[in-house]
């Protein structure tokens, strides 16, 4: 159970999702019930006489704007004065583990950025050129997708498709989907919505969340949230707005959104860097939130690898697609979030051990990915000749990969020049599929070596017809077909070959591609991809994804006016025009991480192959 026990849920919702707790409640003590009744389940915004159709009375709007002008945040969660007190119970790990002294504790000095409230300056940068019709339309649609809570903007809905009758959860604000919206707003100097989003989702983090009486860790961030208007009493005369999060307990397949907390940290750092509002990251509740997320990610488990072990569908691909284990996307976001955390965590006695743990994990993680996930012509040839069943510390084929696993498509596909990071690595299993987001984010965060980063872009260029073709960018390549599709997806009719997550083309990925291209000094490549997208997006009504091997058709079940398609396009354009702003999202190579290696200092019988492989790590 989470530390908070808010229980005043609308009765119907409680009955639907928490049958056991309802039983518990009915037999609970009167005192407990009294506390429960007094503590609201959702963050609430009292809304007396609020019309159910969303119309507000002027005095309410002005009350909300006064609160925001006076610098108050909307209903912050009460936080203890000392963040350590709040999280110490959750962080025994950091106080127990011995870290080698070689890892620096200091946070690297944050790069100097423009002082606070650079809004106007930013706005003038982006307004220098006249917008195209497509951009103007995109801005209009992005603004239409904005949702407000207590009169203040807090996010954007996933899709605003007027022709679609079945909303499912596309009317929710998804954490991952909001990132490109946030970036577009930030680069335009409209920072309030991002600040509100960060603070409100932070409140949701510690919310009680349960699936059939089981509660996941306290640091989990929701996949999405929705603003609901609920009656304050039986007469339906007064209403209030509540934030209603989904941690996966309603999601299709009940998938836990591992990426949400990682994106939240990445966005927090970007917001603080671009606005200069470092006071936000230093807030006690924000520091506590970061620690809770990291505490979940860094806690001990049974795992042998520094990569995060997750279930299938825990990220952008939120359905069964055979990516359980150690999928690249999660590892790249994890690495990036750890790098960002080092910058945003306040250094004090309470964070010292955590910072050591972060550095230690970063070091091990980058080695692991650079060494074991990287494939190119040379590496595939090595795997092709692997000996198997090696039992020793010095095994070449550490994960006991049987060469027969090399798929036939890869033999012809791998170019002479360049390479990529594979999708997943487990004992006796390499998932050789190319996953775009993981590879692009590995470039942005410097999880790869600079040489590997160049190699990935060179592969995308070489394989343009497979990965971009008629619409950037394939979510993964190639698609699974026949028995493989049947067994791995569970015969998922949405993930049929070359559709949706199974080899579909997702225009939102354009912004991550642009970011990687800018970081590697290849903006012309991004320009080429944007031109392909720009030609079709308006006419096709900004679809969520495209189908077929070359991305020619609008996806069979694709939403129209998908917000992150719109925002991804705008963000790509703005990044290209202001490439210096890419630094709010990227991280540079940190050579200190390559030096630090636990095994050099440990007296235990541990050895690693890092020194032998150093040339490769530095690349
Ligand atoms: C789909 C996508 C997921 C996205 C959601 C809302 O489920 O797979 O990544 O967050 O739609 O757009």
């Amino acid at each position: 159970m989470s530390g908070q026990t808010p229980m005043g849920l609308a009765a119907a919702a409680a009955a639907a999702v928490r049958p056991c707790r309802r039983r518990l409640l009915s037999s609970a003590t009167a005192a407990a019930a009294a506390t429960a009744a007094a503590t609201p389940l959702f963050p609430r915004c009292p809304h007396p006489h609020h019309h159910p159709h969303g119309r507000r009375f002027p005095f309410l709007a002005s009350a909300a704007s006064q609160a925001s002008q006076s610098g108050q945040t909307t209903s912050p969660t009460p936080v203890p004065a000392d963040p350590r007190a709040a999280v110490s119970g959750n962080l025994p790990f950091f106080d127990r583990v011995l870290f080698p002294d070689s890892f620096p504790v200091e946070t690297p000095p944050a790069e100097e950025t423009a002082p606070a409230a650079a809004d106007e300056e930013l706005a003038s940068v982006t307004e220098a050129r006249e917008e195209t019709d497509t951009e103007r339309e995109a801005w209009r649609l992005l603004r239409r997708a904005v949702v407000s809570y207590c009169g203040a903007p807090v996010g954007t809905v996933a899709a605003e498709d007027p022709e679609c009758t079945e909303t499912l959860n596309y009317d929710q604000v998804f954490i991952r989907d909001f990132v490109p919206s946030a970036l577009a707003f930030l680069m335009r100097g409209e920072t309030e919505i991002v600040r509100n989003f960060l603070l409100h989702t932070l409140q949701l983090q510690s919310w009680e969340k349960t699936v059939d009486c089981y509660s996941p860790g306290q640091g989990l961030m929701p996949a999405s949230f929705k603003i609901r208007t609920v009656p304050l009493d039986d007469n339906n005369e007064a209403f209030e707005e509540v934030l209603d999060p989904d941690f996966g307990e309603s999601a299709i397949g009940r998938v836990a959104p591992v990426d949400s907390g990682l994106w939240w940290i990445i966005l927090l750092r970007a917001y603080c860097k671009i606005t200069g509002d470092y006071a936000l990251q230093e807030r006690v509740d924000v520091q506590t939130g970061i620690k809770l997320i990291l505490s979940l990610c860094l806690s001990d488990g049974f795992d042998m690898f520094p990569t995060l072990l997750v279930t299938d569908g825990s990220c952008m691909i939120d359905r069964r697609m055979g990516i359980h284990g150690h999928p690249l996307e999660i590892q790249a976001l994890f690495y990036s979030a750890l790098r960002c955390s080092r910058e945003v965590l306040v250094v004090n006695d309470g964070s010292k051990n955590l910072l050591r743990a972060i550095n230690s994990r970063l070091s091990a993680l980058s080695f692991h990915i650079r060494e074991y996930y990287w494939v190119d012509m040379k590496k595939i040839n090595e795997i092709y000749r692997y000996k198997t069943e090696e039992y020793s510390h010095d095994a070449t084929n550490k994960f006991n990969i049987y060469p027969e696993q090399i798929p036939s498509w890869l033999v012809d596909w791998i170019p002479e020049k360049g390479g990529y990071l594979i999708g997943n690595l487990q004992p006796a299993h390499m998932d050789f599929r190319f996953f775009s987001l993981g590879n692009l984010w590995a470039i942005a965060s410097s999880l790869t070596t600079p040489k590997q980063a160049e190699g990935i872009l060179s592969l995308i260029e070489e394989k343009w017809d497979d990965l971009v073709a008629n619409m950037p960018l394939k979510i993964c390549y190639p698609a699974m077909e026949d028995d493989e599709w049947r067994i791995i997806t569970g015969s998922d009719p949405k993930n049929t070959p070359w559709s949706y997550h199974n080899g579909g083309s997702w225009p939102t990925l354009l912004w991550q591609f642009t970011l990687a291209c800018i970081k590697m000094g290849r903006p012309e490549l991004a320009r080429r991809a944007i031109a392909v997208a720009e030609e079709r997006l308006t006419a096709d009504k900004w679809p969520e994804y495209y189908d077929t091997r070359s991305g020619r058709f609008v996806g069979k079940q694709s939403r129209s006016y998908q917000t992150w398609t719109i925002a991804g396009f705008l963000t790509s354009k703005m990044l290209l025009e202001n490439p210096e702003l890419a630094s709010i999202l990227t991280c540079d190579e940190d050579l200190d991480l390559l030096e630090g290696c636990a095994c050099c200092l440990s007296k235990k019988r541990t050895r690693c192959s890092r020194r032998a492989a150093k040339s490769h790590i530095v690349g």
Side-chain angles (χ1 to χ4, degrees):
M1 285 280 164
S2 67
Q4 295 179 1
T5 51
M7 301 194 184
L9 174 68
V17 296
R18 295 183 176 85
C20 301
R21 225 184 86 234
R22 209 159 60 103
R23 258 204 321 274
L24 273 179
L25 257 182
S26 56
S27 62
T29 61
T35 319
T39 323
L41 178 68
F42 300 122
R44 279 156 192 258
C45 163
H47 230 248
H49 316 296
H50 174 40
H51 192 274
H53 302 299
R55 234 194 47 186
R56 279 169 220 291
F57 288 97
F59 78 89
L60 288 171
S62 68
S65 74
Q66 263 169 26
S68 70
Q69 273 162 20
S70 64
Q72 292 166 18
T73 57
T74 33
S75 56
T77 313
V79 287
D82 178 1
R84 278 170 297 161
V87 294
S88 57
N90 298 294
L91 298 176
F93 164 75
F94 302 119
D95 294 330
R96 236 178 330 106
V97 179
L98 266 178
F99 298 100
D101 296 334
S102 61
F103 295 117
V105 171
E106 296 79 35
T107 304
E111 278 165 45
E112 280 295 308
T113 47
D119 291 14
E120 281 148 37
E121 246 171 71
L122 279 168
S124 65
V125 171
T126 49
E127 276 165 15
R129 176 184 59 84
E130 174 111 17
E131 279 170 348
T132 62
D133 288 346
T134 313
E135 286 163 350
R136 251 193 299 278
E137 186 193 36
W139 272 112
R140 185 180 56 76
L141 294 169
L142 183 59
R143 291 192 195 291
R144 190 181 73 173
V146 168
V147 288
S148 293
Y149 174 60
C150 300
V154 288
T156 46
V157 286
E160 183 80 68
D161 183 351
E163 283 154 33
C164 186
T165 45
E166 208 190 1
T167 352
L168 286 178
N169 51 357
Y170 284 87
D171 60 349
Q172 306 234 347
V173 179
F174 278 76
I175 308 296
R176 69 175 77 85
D177 293 41
F178 181 66
V179 175
S181 299
L183 295 170
F185 285 123
L186 284 177
M187 286 190 280
R188 209 178 164 98
E190 296 174 30
T191 59
E192 187 204 353
I193 185 171
V194 185
R195 185 187 161 88
N196 292 342
F197 170 87
L198 287 166
L199 290 173
H200 282 298
T201 44
L202 180 66
Q203 279 185 278
L204 300 175
Q205 179 189 39
S206 297
W207 224 243
E208 187 192 30
K209 38 210 176 249
T210 324
V211 177
D212 296 339
C213 287
Y214 177 74
S215 300
Q218 207 185 344
L220 191 69
M221 281 279 184
S224 59
F225 66 86
K226 194 181 159 91
I227 318 284
R228 287 189 201 284
T229 306
V230 294
L232 269 175
D233 51 29
D234 293 341
N235 305 329
N236 278 3
E237 275 176 2
F239 294 85
E240 64 177 346
E241 285 184 343
V242 292
L243 287 174
D244 183 5
D246 175 27
F247 293 90
E249 71 268 37
S250 331
I252 298 161
R254 303 292 185 261
V255 281
V258 178
D259 63 341
S260 289
L262 306 174
W263 278 122
W264 187 86
I265 293 177
I266 293 166
L267 183 60
L268 171 70
R269 183 244 198 178
Y271 166 84
C272 294
K273 280 190 85 155
I274 201 167
T275 58
D277 179 10
Y278 293 108
L280 184 85
Q281 74 189 33
E282 285 162 16
R283 280 171 51 142
V284 173
D285 53 347
V286 172
Q287 290 283 310
T288 304
I290 302 166
K291 287 177 185 176
L292 285 174
I293 296 169
L294 295 179
S295 151
L296 263 189
C297 296
L298 296 173
S299 59
D300 291 333
F302 289 103
D303 215 14
M304 298 290 286
F305 310 134
T307 33
L308 262 189
L309 178 63
V310 299
T311 52
D312 217 342
S314 57
C315 50
M316 176 184 180
I317 296 179
D318 55 4
R319 295 162 87 92
R320 208 173 124 193
M321 266 288 289
I323 58 164
H324 52 277
H326 305 93
L328 179 66
E329 177 177 332
I330 289 288
Q331 313 315 324
L333 292 173
F334 180 34
Y335 182 85
S336 177
L338 289 177
R339 290 288 306 262
C340 296
S341 301
R342 263 190 347 175
E343 282 180 33
V344 297
L345 275 171
V346 173
V347 184
N348 55 30
D349 284 350
S351 61
K352 205 168 63 188
N353 285 339
L354 175 57
L355 285 162
R356 283 211 185 93
I358 291 173
N359 279 326
S360 170
R361 190 63 170 259
L362 279 170
S363 170
L365 184 60
S366 65
F367 173 79
H368 187 86
I369 299 284
R370 290 170 177 205
E371 188 64 16
Y372 305 127
Y373 277 58
W374 178 254
V375 291
D376 54 13
M377 183 67 190
K378 183 164 159 272
K379 184 69 181 283
I380 305 265
N381 205 155
E382 262 170 43
I383 299 171
Y384 183 74
R385 292 165 49 80
Y386 264 168
K387 288 192 188 59
T388 56
E389 322 293 339
E390 293 175 281
Y391 179 84
S392 76
H393 275 300
D394 311 315
T396 316
N397 181 5
K398 286 200 179 66
F399 305 99
N400 201 33
I401 305 297
Y402 299 104
E404 290 72 15
Q405 254 178 61
I406 299 177
S408 52
W409 64 265
L410 184 61
V411 176
D412 300 322
W413 197 71
I414 191 81
E416 290 293 328
K417 231 180 97 211
Y420 68 99
L421 298 171
I422 58 169
N424 212 325
L425 176 67
Q426 319 248 49
H429 173 68
M430 279 179 134
D431 181 346
F432 287 99
R433 281 175 292 172
F434 174 89
F435 287 86
S436 296
L437 181 45
N439 272 282
L440 297 174
W441 209 259
I443 297 176
S445 62
S446 283
L447 172 58
T448 58
T449 67
K451 203 167 145 204
Q452 288 172 341
E454 275 167 28
I456 294 168
L457 290 187
S458 144
L459 176 134
I460 295 177
E461 194 176 14
E462 180 86 19
K463 298 291 169 188
W464 195 263
D465 291 344
D466 291 328
L467 301 175
V468 178
N470 294 297
M471 181 51 65
L473 204 59
K474 278 261 168 295
I475 195 165
C476 69
Y477 180 90
M480 292 182 294
E481 303 188 65
D482 307 319
D483 278 349
E484 207 184 1
W485 165 77
R486 257 187 293 280
I487 295 163
I488 293 184
T489 71
S491 299
D492 185 344
K494 206 166 172 184
N495 274 335
T496 50
W498 307 107
S499 181
Y500 202 44
H501 299 141
N502 187 13
S505 301
W506 290 65
T508 187
L509 293 169
L510 200 54
W511 78 266
Q512 279 115 340
F513 180 56
T514 306
L515 186 67
C517 290
I518 291 173
K519 171 141 191 269
M520 298 314 296
R522 310 252 356 233
E524 79 291 349
L525 215 52
R527 240 172 243 126
R528 210 176 132 196
I530 293 171
V532 174
E534 194 157 13
E535 214 174 276
R536 297 187 63 187
L537 288 178
T538 310
D540 292 344
K541 300 189 190 157
W542 306 89
E544 180 186 16
Y545 66 96
Y546 285 77
D547 281 358
T548 78
R549 195 181 265 270
S550 63
R552 283 189 70 198
F553 292 154
V554 173
K556 203 180 276 169
Q557 295 190 44
S558 172
R559 305 276 139 168
S560 298
Y561 304 107
Q562 181 80 20
T563 306
W564 68 354
T565 299
I566 298 162
F569 167 76
L570 286 173
T571 297
S572 308
K573 282 261 174 159
M574 291 163 100
L575 278 172
L576 263 189
E577 255 171 45
N578 308 285
E580 67 287 352
L581 293 181
S583 67
I584 64 168
L585 293 156
T586 58
C587 299
D588 292 332
E589 174 78 314
D590 178 355
L591 293 172
D592 284 347
L593 287 176
L594 307 180
E595 296 297 327
C597 179
C599 79
C600 318
L601 296 139
S602 163
K603 296 202 174 66
K604 280 190 261 158
R605 195 180 58 91
T606 50
R607 269 196 275 166
C608 80
S609 29
R610 298 179 46 141
R611 263 166 299 164
K614 197 151 172 199
S615 58
H616 194 168
I617 311 170
V618 181

